[in-house]
Short mmCIF file of all heavy atoms in Angstrom, two decimals:
data_model
loop_
_atom_site.label_atom_id
_atom_site.label_comp_id
_atom_site.label_asym_id
_atom_site.label_seq_id
_atom_site.Cartn_x
_atom_site.Cartn_y
_atom_site.Cartn_z
N MET B 1 -12.05 16.71 -4.65
CA MET B 1 -12.37 16.72 -6.14
C MET B 1 -13.84 16.19 -6.31
O MET B 1 -14.47 15.63 -5.50
CB MET B 1 -11.43 15.71 -6.81
CG MET B 1 -10.09 16.26 -7.06
SD MET B 1 -10.18 17.69 -8.12
CE MET B 1 -8.70 18.46 -7.60
N SER B 2 -14.21 16.58 -7.47
CA SER B 2 -15.62 16.30 -7.89
C SER B 2 -15.93 14.82 -7.85
O SER B 2 -15.16 13.94 -8.41
CB SER B 2 -15.71 16.86 -9.37
OG SER B 2 -16.76 16.21 -10.07
N ASN B 4 -18.11 13.60 -9.58
CA ASN B 4 -18.57 13.28 -10.97
C ASN B 4 -17.41 13.24 -11.96
O ASN B 4 -17.58 13.30 -13.16
CB ASN B 4 -19.65 14.25 -11.43
CG ASN B 4 -20.94 14.11 -10.60
OD1 ASN B 4 -21.65 13.14 -10.80
ND2 ASN B 4 -21.18 15.02 -9.69
N LYS B 8 -7.13 10.46 -13.16
CA LYS B 8 -6.19 11.54 -12.76
C LYS B 8 -5.59 12.15 -13.95
O LYS B 8 -5.48 13.34 -13.98
CB LYS B 8 -5.04 10.82 -11.97
CG LYS B 8 -5.50 10.10 -10.63
CD LYS B 8 -5.94 11.09 -9.58
CE LYS B 8 -6.56 10.34 -8.48
NZ LYS B 8 -5.68 9.56 -7.61
N THR B 13 -15.61 13.35 -16.79
CA THR B 13 -16.57 14.14 -15.95
C THR B 13 -17.91 14.08 -16.64
O THR B 13 -18.00 14.43 -17.85
CB THR B 13 -16.06 15.63 -15.79
OG1 THR B 13 -14.69 15.60 -15.26
CG2 THR B 13 -16.94 16.37 -14.87
N THR B 14 -18.93 13.74 -15.87
CA THR B 14 -20.24 13.65 -16.45
C THR B 14 -21.29 14.43 -15.67
O THR B 14 -21.11 14.72 -14.50
CB THR B 14 -20.69 12.15 -16.59
OG1 THR B 14 -21.04 11.69 -15.31
CG2 THR B 14 -19.60 11.26 -17.15
N ALA B 15 -22.34 14.67 -16.42
CA ALA B 15 -23.56 15.37 -15.77
C ALA B 15 -24.79 14.83 -16.48
O ALA B 15 -24.69 14.33 -17.62
CB ALA B 15 -23.43 16.79 -15.86
N GLU B 17 -29.33 13.98 -15.87
CA GLU B 17 -30.29 13.11 -15.12
C GLU B 17 -31.09 12.31 -16.19
O GLU B 17 -31.18 12.65 -17.34
CB GLU B 17 -31.27 14.04 -14.37
CG GLU B 17 -30.65 14.57 -13.14
CD GLU B 17 -29.99 15.94 -13.27
OE1 GLU B 17 -30.43 16.72 -14.11
OE2 GLU B 17 -28.94 16.13 -12.59
N PRO B 21 -32.80 17.30 -19.90
CA PRO B 21 -32.62 17.51 -21.31
C PRO B 21 -31.57 16.65 -21.93
O PRO B 21 -31.69 16.21 -23.07
CB PRO B 21 -32.22 19.04 -21.41
CG PRO B 21 -32.62 19.63 -20.08
CD PRO B 21 -32.53 18.49 -19.07
N ILE B 26 -17.26 15.48 -20.31
CA ILE B 26 -16.05 16.00 -20.76
C ILE B 26 -14.87 15.05 -20.47
O ILE B 26 -14.70 14.60 -19.30
CB ILE B 26 -15.76 17.36 -20.15
CG1 ILE B 26 -16.81 18.37 -20.58
CG2 ILE B 26 -14.42 17.88 -20.52
CD1 ILE B 26 -16.77 19.75 -19.88
N ASP B 28 -10.97 14.41 -20.68
CA ASP B 28 -9.79 15.22 -20.80
C ASP B 28 -8.59 14.29 -20.72
O ASP B 28 -8.50 13.21 -20.07
CB ASP B 28 -9.77 16.22 -19.66
CG ASP B 28 -8.86 17.34 -20.04
OD1 ASP B 28 -8.38 17.50 -21.16
OD2 ASP B 28 -8.59 18.25 -19.18
N PRO B 32 -3.18 13.36 -28.29
CA PRO B 32 -3.60 13.87 -29.65
C PRO B 32 -3.23 12.82 -30.74
O PRO B 32 -2.48 11.89 -30.51
CB PRO B 32 -2.76 15.07 -29.78
CG PRO B 32 -1.48 14.83 -28.87
CD PRO B 32 -1.99 14.05 -27.75
N GLU B 66 -23.15 13.23 -29.79
CA GLU B 66 -22.54 14.27 -30.47
C GLU B 66 -21.20 14.64 -29.91
O GLU B 66 -21.09 14.86 -28.73
CB GLU B 66 -23.54 15.51 -30.52
CG GLU B 66 -22.95 16.69 -31.44
CD GLU B 66 -23.85 17.97 -31.40
OE1 GLU B 66 -24.84 18.00 -30.52
OE2 GLU B 66 -23.46 18.96 -32.04
N LEU B 68 -18.59 17.47 -29.32
CA LEU B 68 -18.67 18.93 -29.34
C LEU B 68 -17.37 19.60 -29.46
O LEU B 68 -17.22 20.69 -29.81
CB LEU B 68 -19.29 19.36 -27.97
CG LEU B 68 -20.79 18.98 -27.63
CD1 LEU B 68 -21.19 19.35 -26.29
CD2 LEU B 68 -21.81 19.47 -28.69
N GLY B 70 -12.60 18.86 -29.21
CA GLY B 70 -11.49 17.99 -28.94
C GLY B 70 -11.16 17.04 -30.03
O GLY B 70 -10.22 16.34 -29.97
N PHE B 72 -10.74 17.03 -34.26
CA PHE B 72 -10.68 18.02 -35.49
C PHE B 72 -10.17 17.15 -36.64
O PHE B 72 -9.24 16.39 -36.56
CB PHE B 72 -9.76 19.10 -35.14
CG PHE B 72 -9.64 20.07 -36.26
CD1 PHE B 72 -10.73 20.80 -36.72
CD2 PHE B 72 -8.38 20.40 -36.87
CE1 PHE B 72 -10.66 21.72 -37.74
CE2 PHE B 72 -8.31 21.32 -37.87
CZ PHE B 72 -9.44 21.98 -38.27
N ARG B 75 -9.35 13.47 -35.84
CA ARG B 75 -8.40 13.11 -34.88
C ARG B 75 -8.47 13.99 -33.66
O ARG B 75 -8.81 15.07 -33.68
CB ARG B 75 -6.95 13.15 -35.48
CG ARG B 75 -6.60 12.17 -36.57
CD ARG B 75 -5.16 12.32 -36.99
NE ARG B 75 -4.75 13.57 -37.35
CZ ARG B 75 -4.97 14.13 -38.53
NH1 ARG B 75 -5.53 13.39 -39.36
NH2 ARG B 75 -4.52 15.40 -38.82
N THR B 77 -7.37 16.28 -30.67
CA THR B 77 -6.28 17.34 -30.66
C THR B 77 -5.55 17.42 -29.47
O THR B 77 -4.62 18.27 -29.34
CB THR B 77 -7.11 18.69 -30.85
OG1 THR B 77 -7.93 18.91 -29.70
CG2 THR B 77 -7.87 18.72 -32.15
N SER B 80 -9.74 19.08 -24.43
CA SER B 80 -10.85 18.28 -23.74
C SER B 80 -11.94 17.96 -24.75
O SER B 80 -12.35 18.86 -25.57
CB SER B 80 -11.43 19.08 -22.55
OG SER B 80 -11.56 20.47 -22.92
N ARG B 86 -28.73 13.75 -26.16
CA ARG B 86 -29.99 14.29 -25.83
C ARG B 86 -30.89 13.16 -25.21
O ARG B 86 -30.89 12.06 -25.78
CB ARG B 86 -30.63 14.94 -26.98
CG ARG B 86 -30.01 16.23 -27.45
CD ARG B 86 -30.44 17.46 -26.54
NE ARG B 86 -29.65 18.67 -26.91
CZ ARG B 86 -29.74 19.76 -26.27
NH1 ARG B 86 -30.59 19.84 -25.22
NH2 ARG B 86 -28.97 20.82 -26.55
N TYR B 115 -29.12 15.77 0.03
CA TYR B 115 -29.21 16.98 -0.68
C TYR B 115 -30.49 17.76 -0.30
O TYR B 115 -30.51 18.94 -0.62
CB TYR B 115 -29.26 16.70 -2.19
CG TYR B 115 -27.98 16.02 -2.78
CD1 TYR B 115 -28.02 14.84 -3.39
CD2 TYR B 115 -26.77 16.69 -2.62
CE1 TYR B 115 -26.99 14.16 -3.95
CE2 TYR B 115 -25.63 16.09 -3.22
CZ TYR B 115 -25.71 14.84 -3.82
OH TYR B 115 -24.61 14.26 -4.37
N GLU B 117 -32.86 18.34 -1.77
CA GLU B 117 -33.56 18.43 -3.07
C GLU B 117 -33.27 17.15 -3.92
O GLU B 117 -32.22 16.53 -3.75
CB GLU B 117 -32.93 19.58 -3.94
CG GLU B 117 -32.72 20.87 -3.13
CD GLU B 117 -34.01 21.70 -3.27
OE1 GLU B 117 -34.81 21.49 -4.21
OE2 GLU B 117 -34.28 22.52 -2.31
N ARG B 121 -37.75 12.34 -10.95
CA ARG B 121 -38.14 11.65 -12.19
C ARG B 121 -37.16 10.64 -12.64
O ARG B 121 -36.09 10.94 -13.16
CB ARG B 121 -38.32 12.74 -13.26
CG ARG B 121 -39.28 13.83 -12.94
CD ARG B 121 -39.15 15.06 -13.88
NE ARG B 121 -37.82 15.49 -13.94
CZ ARG B 121 -37.34 16.26 -14.90
NH1 ARG B 121 -38.16 16.66 -15.88
NH2 ARG B 121 -36.13 16.79 -14.87
N MET C 1 -4.43 15.58 -12.54
CA MET C 1 -5.78 16.01 -12.89
C MET C 1 -5.83 16.81 -14.18
O MET C 1 -4.81 17.34 -14.63
CB MET C 1 -6.33 16.89 -11.76
CG MET C 1 -6.84 16.10 -10.60
SD MET C 1 -8.22 15.04 -11.08
CE MET C 1 -8.00 13.79 -9.83
N SER C 2 -7.03 16.92 -14.66
CA SER C 2 -7.26 17.49 -15.94
C SER C 2 -6.87 18.98 -15.81
O SER C 2 -7.31 19.74 -14.96
CB SER C 2 -8.80 17.36 -16.07
OG SER C 2 -9.32 18.32 -16.96
N ASN C 4 -8.24 21.00 -17.70
CA ASN C 4 -9.42 21.76 -18.07
C ASN C 4 -10.41 21.76 -16.97
O ASN C 4 -11.65 21.94 -17.10
CB ASN C 4 -10.07 21.18 -19.33
CG ASN C 4 -9.24 21.40 -20.53
OD1 ASN C 4 -9.12 22.58 -21.03
ND2 ASN C 4 -8.51 20.43 -21.06
N LYS C 8 -11.28 22.35 -6.33
CA LYS C 8 -11.16 21.05 -5.56
C LYS C 8 -12.59 20.55 -5.14
O LYS C 8 -12.83 19.38 -5.28
CB LYS C 8 -10.31 21.33 -4.34
CG LYS C 8 -8.89 21.80 -4.63
CD LYS C 8 -8.01 20.74 -5.32
CE LYS C 8 -6.77 21.25 -5.88
NZ LYS C 8 -5.75 21.64 -4.74
N THR C 11 -16.00 22.54 -8.57
CA THR C 11 -15.14 22.34 -9.73
C THR C 11 -15.82 22.73 -11.04
O THR C 11 -16.99 22.61 -11.17
CB THR C 11 -14.67 20.85 -9.88
OG1 THR C 11 -15.79 20.07 -10.02
CG2 THR C 11 -13.93 20.38 -8.62
N THR C 13 -15.24 22.23 -15.07
CA THR C 13 -14.48 21.60 -16.25
C THR C 13 -15.15 22.09 -17.51
O THR C 13 -16.32 22.09 -17.61
CB THR C 13 -14.71 20.10 -16.02
OG1 THR C 13 -14.26 19.68 -14.76
CG2 THR C 13 -13.99 19.35 -17.13
N THR C 14 -14.24 22.50 -18.41
CA THR C 14 -14.80 23.04 -19.68
C THR C 14 -14.16 22.39 -20.85
O THR C 14 -13.10 21.77 -20.83
CB THR C 14 -14.58 24.58 -19.75
OG1 THR C 14 -13.20 24.79 -19.98
CG2 THR C 14 -15.01 25.24 -18.49
N ALA C 15 -14.87 22.51 -22.00
CA ALA C 15 -14.52 22.02 -23.29
C ALA C 15 -15.01 22.90 -24.36
O ALA C 15 -16.04 23.66 -24.10
CB ALA C 15 -14.91 20.57 -23.54
N GLU C 17 -13.98 24.56 -28.60
CA GLU C 17 -13.16 25.48 -29.34
C GLU C 17 -13.92 26.67 -29.90
O GLU C 17 -15.07 26.61 -30.04
CB GLU C 17 -12.53 24.66 -30.54
CG GLU C 17 -11.36 23.73 -30.11
CD GLU C 17 -11.95 22.31 -29.72
OE1 GLU C 17 -12.90 21.90 -30.38
OE2 GLU C 17 -11.36 21.74 -28.83
N PRO C 21 -18.58 23.09 -32.69
CA PRO C 21 -20.07 23.23 -32.50
C PRO C 21 -20.45 23.94 -31.22
O PRO C 21 -21.52 24.62 -31.33
CB PRO C 21 -20.50 21.73 -32.47
CG PRO C 21 -19.33 20.95 -33.02
CD PRO C 21 -18.09 21.72 -32.75
N ILE C 26 -19.07 21.54 -17.16
CA ILE C 26 -19.70 20.82 -15.96
C ILE C 26 -19.19 21.46 -14.73
O ILE C 26 -18.03 21.48 -14.47
CB ILE C 26 -19.35 19.32 -16.13
CG1 ILE C 26 -19.98 18.70 -17.40
CG2 ILE C 26 -19.88 18.57 -14.88
CD1 ILE C 26 -19.63 17.22 -17.63
N ASP C 28 -19.42 21.19 -10.82
CA ASP C 28 -19.74 20.22 -9.78
C ASP C 28 -19.56 20.73 -8.41
O ASP C 28 -18.65 21.55 -8.16
CB ASP C 28 -18.96 18.95 -9.99
CG ASP C 28 -19.49 17.66 -9.35
OD1 ASP C 28 -20.72 17.80 -8.91
OD2 ASP C 28 -18.90 16.61 -9.36
N PRO C 32 -26.81 22.15 -2.78
CA PRO C 32 -28.11 22.01 -3.27
C PRO C 32 -29.03 23.18 -2.66
O PRO C 32 -28.76 23.76 -1.70
CB PRO C 32 -28.65 20.75 -2.71
CG PRO C 32 -27.80 20.50 -1.53
CD PRO C 32 -26.50 21.19 -1.70
N GLU C 66 -27.58 27.08 -22.11
CA GLU C 66 -28.62 26.07 -21.82
C GLU C 66 -28.21 25.31 -20.62
O GLU C 66 -26.97 24.89 -20.58
CB GLU C 66 -28.91 25.19 -23.02
CG GLU C 66 -30.03 24.15 -22.71
CD GLU C 66 -30.18 23.06 -23.83
OE1 GLU C 66 -29.37 23.03 -24.75
OE2 GLU C 66 -31.13 22.25 -23.71
N LEU C 68 -28.21 21.97 -18.73
CA LEU C 68 -28.59 20.61 -19.12
C LEU C 68 -28.93 19.73 -17.95
O LEU C 68 -29.45 18.65 -18.11
CB LEU C 68 -27.39 19.97 -19.92
CG LEU C 68 -26.92 20.62 -21.20
CD1 LEU C 68 -25.69 19.93 -21.65
CD2 LEU C 68 -28.08 20.60 -22.22
N GLY C 70 -28.74 19.31 -13.21
CA GLY C 70 -28.26 19.78 -11.91
C GLY C 70 -29.13 20.84 -11.29
O GLY C 70 -28.90 21.30 -10.26
N PHE C 72 -33.28 21.65 -10.80
CA PHE C 72 -34.55 21.07 -10.95
C PHE C 72 -35.56 22.03 -10.28
O PHE C 72 -35.39 22.42 -9.18
CB PHE C 72 -34.60 19.73 -10.23
CG PHE C 72 -35.95 18.97 -10.49
CD1 PHE C 72 -36.45 18.69 -11.69
CD2 PHE C 72 -36.58 18.59 -9.25
CE1 PHE C 72 -37.68 17.97 -11.78
CE2 PHE C 72 -37.83 17.81 -9.29
CZ PHE C 72 -38.35 17.50 -10.58
N ARG C 75 -34.00 25.12 -8.70
CA ARG C 75 -32.97 25.09 -7.60
C ARG C 75 -32.02 24.01 -7.96
O ARG C 75 -32.22 22.97 -8.55
CB ARG C 75 -33.61 24.68 -6.29
CG ARG C 75 -34.53 25.81 -5.70
CD ARG C 75 -34.95 25.55 -4.25
NE ARG C 75 -35.68 24.31 -4.18
CZ ARG C 75 -36.89 24.10 -4.45
NH1 ARG C 75 -37.63 25.10 -4.91
NH2 ARG C 75 -37.45 22.95 -4.27
N SER C 80 -24.15 17.36 -10.55
CA SER C 80 -23.29 18.16 -11.50
C SER C 80 -24.17 18.91 -12.43
O SER C 80 -25.21 18.40 -12.97
CB SER C 80 -22.32 17.24 -12.19
OG SER C 80 -22.94 16.09 -12.66
N ARG C 86 -23.99 27.02 -27.75
CA ARG C 86 -23.67 26.67 -29.17
C ARG C 86 -22.93 27.77 -29.75
O ARG C 86 -23.23 29.09 -29.52
CB ARG C 86 -24.98 26.46 -29.94
CG ARG C 86 -25.76 25.16 -29.55
CD ARG C 86 -25.24 23.98 -30.26
NE ARG C 86 -25.87 22.77 -29.82
CZ ARG C 86 -25.43 21.60 -30.17
NH1 ARG C 86 -24.40 21.40 -30.96
NH2 ARG C 86 -26.02 20.52 -29.63
N TYR C 115 1.06 19.38 -29.07
CA TYR C 115 0.18 18.37 -29.47
C TYR C 115 0.31 17.74 -30.89
O TYR C 115 -0.32 16.80 -31.20
CB TYR C 115 -1.35 18.87 -29.40
CG TYR C 115 -1.74 19.37 -28.05
CD1 TYR C 115 -2.00 20.71 -27.77
CD2 TYR C 115 -1.92 18.50 -26.98
CE1 TYR C 115 -2.55 21.19 -26.55
CE2 TYR C 115 -2.29 18.96 -25.70
CZ TYR C 115 -2.55 20.27 -25.48
OH TYR C 115 -3.02 20.63 -24.27
N GLU C 117 -1.13 18.10 -33.26
CA GLU C 117 -2.45 18.43 -33.97
C GLU C 117 -2.95 19.77 -33.40
O GLU C 117 -2.74 20.06 -32.26
CB GLU C 117 -3.59 17.33 -33.63
CG GLU C 117 -3.14 15.97 -33.71
CD GLU C 117 -3.32 15.53 -35.16
OE1 GLU C 117 -4.19 15.98 -35.79
OE2 GLU C 117 -2.59 14.49 -35.53
N ARG C 121 -8.62 26.99 -36.51
CA ARG C 121 -9.62 27.94 -36.73
C ARG C 121 -9.90 28.85 -35.57
O ARG C 121 -10.40 28.41 -34.53
CB ARG C 121 -10.93 27.21 -37.10
CG ARG C 121 -10.79 26.24 -38.32
CD ARG C 121 -12.01 25.41 -38.39
NE ARG C 121 -12.24 24.58 -37.21
CZ ARG C 121 -13.37 23.92 -36.91
NH1 ARG C 121 -14.42 24.04 -37.82
NH2 ARG C 121 -13.41 23.33 -35.84
#
Side-chain angles (χ1 to χ4, degrees):
Chain B
M1 281 296 154
S2 158
N4 292 289
K8 300 290 170 71
T13 304
T14 74
E17 284 90 34
I26 296 176
D28 202 8
E66 181 185 6
L68 300 176
F72 183 60
R75 291 191 303 280
T77 61
S80 45
R86 292 277 172 189
Y115 298 119
E117 313 274 335
R121 300 168 304 166
Chain C
M1 279 296 154
S2 159
N4 292 288
K8 300 292 172 68
T11 62
T13 304
T14 74
E17 284 90 33
I26 296 177
D28 202 8
E66 181 186 5
L68 300 176
F72 183 59
R75 290 191 303 281
S80 45
R86 292 276 173 190
Y115 298 118
E117 313 273 336
R121 301 169 303 167

